[in-house]
Amino acid sequence: MKSAIFSISALLVAALAAYADESASALRMSYDFPAAVAKAEAALEGADSLSLPALEEELMLCRNGLEMMNFCTHPEVISKYVFPVAEFHLYYPLEDRCWRPVPNQLDSVADESLVRAIYFPEDAHCVYYSACDAVGSRNLYRSEFRDTLWSAPALINETVTSSYNEIYPMLSPDGKSLFFASEGLFGMGGYDLYVSHWDESIQDWGVPQNMGFPYSSPYDDFLFINTPDGKYSIFASNRECSSDSVCVYVLEQDVNPVHGRIDDVERLRELAALSPEGNASIATHARSSALPQNGKVAEYLDKLSYVRSLRDSISACNDRMNSMRERLSSVSGEDASSLRKEILNMELSLPRGKAKLDEAVRELQKTEMEFLANGIVIDPEKIRRESDRQAVGTDSGFTFKKHEEGPALDIRVEVPVPEFDYSFKILEEGQFADDNTLPEGLVYQIQLFSLSRKAVLKDIKGLSPVFERVSSQRYVYSVGLFRTYSEVLKHLNSVKKQGFRNCIIVAFQDGKPLGVNTARKLESKVKTIYKVRINPPDGKSLPDMAKTVVGQMCASSDIVRLMDGAVVVFDVSPIDERNRAEELVAALKAAGISSCEVLEAGQTRVE
């Protein structure tokens, strides 16, 4: 009975904590950050270990929002308009055919929620884009055109890479600022907007800064650009839209924004609404005065706009195919082959577009029938005429124009060369070291043999990494990189059993040969520092259990989050003894963290 009571109590505490968390989240989403922080802090009291991580995450977002109340600007709102999420990007004032569909050679995963295309102008020689890494998180990459192919994708840098997603990187017209959206950096929840400036001193992008209110919000805010004419700033958000739509905001470009604090929640909400001054009646889709102004009408207009945009897309696709078919008769060779391929791709895409249109029409008709069932008579033509009005600001002259999507990417991209593993191994087929340069400091190797010719793979009998150096017109081959005599001695017999009975231990200091006895004396004055590398199970964050284990066993060590290629890893360092590092690995594996290993972090001199 006692255990049953305890279980019920535990469930009740968890339920109350979850309810408090939802309340904090709802307050955060309504911009009431002071109340949200109080709710989240209350939820943490008495929370069990299972609900604790989610509660701590919510509290962090609420506190971030509270902090961002100090970082508010007041740009003039020119216009805003609601578009279907599938094609909102085509209404940005950018080059025609600059958006390319995904998946493609650079972005292999289509994100049905927000990311539907990649920005890749026809004359581009350097592109920034978002793509999924090995664990499924979207990171920002860069590639540039080199002679005949595009360079292997490279992560921009660690400061603009979080353990979550980054999307829609866009360069400023002068190329000195990089705008992007992230859901993993310092923000209020969802995607926030950030800007990173080019740092000439380090020739790299600087630490990104959250753009603050009203650009960022607790909702998803993304795809920010400044127009080349210096007039407008444009971005998209779902802060006041249904799930299949986004609102595109046009603001007067604020070259030198002045940031200040807003304490009043209502004022903050008004700022985040971004209503065009004196033009609120067309702040979103134009509304028909014949209908009540409610959510159902907004939903109907969204669906109507979506149907019309799909029809426009299909019509434009047919027109383009007819134009290309006419051109086909006047070209030959590679040009004709390329045209045929593009026509075929468009023909294959048409059935999907028509299927989407049919489904959208059915949904639109369903809503119309609901209106009729409730005694509301609608005039679709009148609504259509009103919804066709351009959403413009007072005397702004800004209009939204839909651009054509570019053809599917057809580019050649370098394949990244994987980094060579210099740890000692015995494989089915041996490996020569990619770089024969020895690392700095004290290093031991096992010398295998010397030949008057270059060795081939069969000569090294599965050993890796095998180093080559030339001495007295002979090729000398050694295996491994060992920092201590005991470590190299441990592998000596393994090498002998591979058939190298006359192998010997050799030593080097900063790449120069050194007697082994001298090296052993020197070793007593040099200490190798180790680290433990942890690959998080979810590819994003370090589990609380791992933090607890590290805190108990290596309290003096730091935990540092890094990017290993395109993968998030955590390094625990410094650890002064290898056996302590190996004990930590054993404890982590016992706690369920299976992917972790001991690595060298460097050497230090002992006086």
Side-chain angles (χ1 to χ4, degrees):
M1 176 64 72
K2 185 175 181 180
S3 61
I5 292 173
F6 174 79
S7 298
I8 293 172
S9 299
L11 289 172
L12 181 60
V13 169
L16 288 172
Y19 172 76
D21 177 36
E22 288 175 5
S23 298
S25 177
L27 288 166
R28 173 172 57 84
M29 301 302 282
S30 67
Y31 302 93
D32 193 349
F33 299 111
V37 169
K39 279 285 185 182
E41 288 176 342
L44 279 172
E45 296 180 9
D48 61 18
S49 58
L50 292 177
S51 58
L52 196 61
L55 291 170
E56 289 176 337
E57 175 78 12
E58 180 60 41
L59 177 59
M60 179 189 70
L61 295 176
C62 295
R63 286 174 172 168
N64 289 353
L66 189 63
E67 178 66 25
M68 293 306 293
M69 292 175 73
N70 293 305
F71 204 67
C72 302
T73 59
H74 299 269
E76 182 179 344
V77 184
I78 303 300
S79 172
K80 66 179 182 180
Y81 202 83
V82 177
F83 296 105
V85 68
E87 58 179 20
F88 76 96
H89 51 282
L90 297 177
Y91 290 89
Y92 273 60
L94 298 167
E95 309 95 312
D96 203 29
R97 295 163 57 85
C98 65
W99 291 102
R100 310 302 183 94
V102 292
N104 53 52
Q105 292 101 318
L106 297 176
D107 185 358
S108 60
V109 179
D111 181 350
E112 287 299 318
S113 58
L114 294 177
V115 181
R116 308 296 182 91
I118 181 175
Y119 179 68
F120 196 110
E122 291 183 341
D123 60 350
H125 284 80
C126 177
V127 293
Y128 289 83
Y129 62 96
S130 168
C132 287
D133 61 19
V135 295
S137 295
R138 282 190 167 273
N139 297 150
L140 301 186
Y141 295 87
R142 180 181 185 274
S143 180
E144 60 183 33
F145 188 68
R146 297 174 181 170
D147 297 328
T148 59
L149 57 135
W150 288 81
S151 62
L155 281 168
I156 295 179
N157 68 29
E158 184 183 352
T159 64
V160 297
T161 302
S162 75
S163 56
Y164 292 89
N165 296 312
E166 281 75 48
I167 59 174
Y168 287 122
M170 300 294 288
L171 283 175
S172 61
D174 62 6
K176 295 181 179 180
S177 298
L178 179 69
F179 300 97
F180 64 97
S182 172
E183 61 177 4
L185 299 176
F186 177 88
M188 297 167 275
Y191 285 99
D192 277 23
L193 285 168
Y194 299 82
V195 59
S196 177
H197 301 293
W198 183 257
D199 189 331
E200 290 289 348
S201 64
I202 61 172
Q203 289 293 293
D204 203 352
W205 294 104
V207 177
Q209 182 180 44
N210 192 311
M211 295 180 67
F213 287 110
Y215 305 101
S216 294
S217 76
Y219 297 85
D220 293 318
D221 310 292
F222 45 94
L223 191 48
F224 179 98
I225 68 165
N226 284 325
T227 56
D229 59 12
K231 290 184 178 180
Y232 304 115
S233 295
I234 302 174
F235 75 97
S237 177
N238 60 10
R239 65 183 69 175
E240 50 184 342
C241 303
S242 56
S243 60
D244 60 350
S245 303
V246 298
C247 191
V248 176
Y249 299 87
V250 182
L251 313 177
E252 187 177 279
Q253 191 173 143
D254 194 352
V255 180
N256 296 303
V258 177
H259 297 97
R261 177 169 178 80
I262 293 180
D263 290 304
D264 185 80
V265 172
E266 283 303 322
R267 283 189 60 208
L268 191 63
R269 288 171 181 157
E270 289 175 8
L271 177 63
L274 289 172
S275 296
E277 186 119 355
N279 211 12
S281 63
I282 54 173
T284 56
H285 281 304
R287 303 295 189 225
S288 169
S289 58
L291 290 173
Q293 302 303 300
N294 56 37
K296 203 64 181 176
V297 175
E299 180 184 339
Y300 176 77
L301 289 171
D302 287 343
K303 290 178 179 179
L304 179 63
S305 176
Y306 186 46
V307 167
R308 298 206 61 227
S309 65
L310 287 174
R311 284 176 177 158
D312 289 346
S313 295
I314 291 172
S315 177
C317 184
N318 281 318
D319 290 345
R320 178 156 176 75
M321 280 196 298
N322 290 335
S323 174
M324 286 192 295
R325 289 187 181 110
E326 290 178 4
R327 286 174 52 203
L328 190 59
S329 61
S330 60
V331 297
S332 60
E334 290 186 7
D335 291 338
S337 176
S338 177
L339 267 179
R340 291 191 191 97
K341 184 177 180 181
E342 195 168 344
I343 291 170
L344 178 60
N345 287 335
M346 296 180 76
E347 288 174 340
L348 292 173
S349 69
L350 268 180
R352 293 195 297 271
K354 289 177 179 177
K356 285 184 178 180
L357 175 60
D358 291 342
E359 177 63 25
V361 168
R362 284 194 293 270
E363 287 295 317
L364 183 67
Q365 291 171 342
K366 181 180 176 182
T367 304
E368 290 174 347
M369 294 302 295
E370 290 177 7
F371 277 125
L372 291 174
N374 288 291
I376 301 174
V377 179
I378 61 174
D379 182 352
E381 287 304 317
K382 183 176 180 180
I383 296 175
R384 189 172 289 114
R385 285 194 301 273
E386 290 196 26
S387 66
D388 279 343
R389 289 163 52 192
Q390 297 292 348
V392 299
T394 304
D395 300 324
S396 70
F398 185 90
T399 59
F400 288 101
K401 177 185 175 183
K402 185 177 180 181
H403 294 273
E404 188 177 347
E405 187 174 65
L409 272 184
D410 185 14
I411 59 175
R412 295 174 59 224
V413 183
E414 289 178 342
V415 178
V417 179
E419 292 187 10
F420 190 87
D421 183 1
Y422 283 91
S423 60
F424 175 78
K425 297 180 295 295
I426 299 177
L427 309 169
E428 289 186 9
E429 183 176 76
Q431 293 179 318
F432 290 101
D434 270 3
D435 185 351
N436 288 300
T437 304
L438 296 178
E440 293 183 359
L442 180 63
V443 175
Y444 294 94
Q445 290 190 302
I446 299 174
Q447 185 172 305
L448 306 174
F449 52 76
S450 66
L451 299 172
S452 58
R453 58 167 176 84
K454 277 183 170 288
V456 294
L457 282 179
K458 69 175 183 178
D459 294 326
I460 60 177
K461 300 180 181 180
L463 297 180
S464 176
V466 173
F467 291 75
E468 174 189 280
R469 70 179 191 277
V470 179
S471 178
S472 302
Q473 297 183 338
R474 292 184 67 83
Y475 296 94
V476 181
Y477 293 89
S478 305
V479 65
L481 293 173
F482 309 99
R483 290 294 187 177
T484 66
Y485 181 76
S486 61
E487 188 180 2
V488 69
L489 189 61
K490 183 170 63 177
H491 293 286
L492 184 62
N493 278 338
S494 299
V495 174
K496 288 184 176 181
K497 288 178 180 178
Q498 289 297 109
F500 301 99
R501 296 184 179 180
N502 297 320
C503 64
I504 58 172
I505 296 174
V506 292
F508 300 86
Q509 174 68 23
D510 296 331
K512 297 179 180 179
L514 188 69
V516 173
N517 287 335
T518 303
R520 294 183 69 182
K521 292 177 183 178
L522 184 62
E523 185 184 332
S524 63
K525 299 180 181 179
V526 175
K527 191 171 186 179
T528 301
I529 304 299
Y530 300 92
K531 62 184 177 183
V532 169
R533 173 155 295 179
I534 305 170
N535 292 281
D538 65 355
K540 296 179 179 180
S541 56
L542 196 62
D544 289 338
M545 182 60 74
K547 296 177 185 176
T548 301
V549 171
V550 172
Q552 291 175 344
M553 300 191 64
C554 299
S556 61
S557 300
D558 294 323
I559 302 177
V560 180
R561 178 186 174 281
L562 301 166
M563 296 299 299
D564 183 15
V567 180
V568 176
V569 297
F570 292 86
D571 279 357
V572 181
S573 67
I575 304 176
D576 55 7
E577 295 179 7
R578 186 178 186 89
N579 63 337
R580 285 189 63 214
E582 290 173 345
E583 287 171 1
L584 175 59
V585 166
L588 287 168
K589 290 183 176 180
I593 316 299
S594 58
S595 183
C596 48
E597 60 178 331
V598 177
L599 299 173
E600 288 184 11
Q603 290 184 329
T604 184
R605 195 170 185 83
V606 179
E607 299 298 336

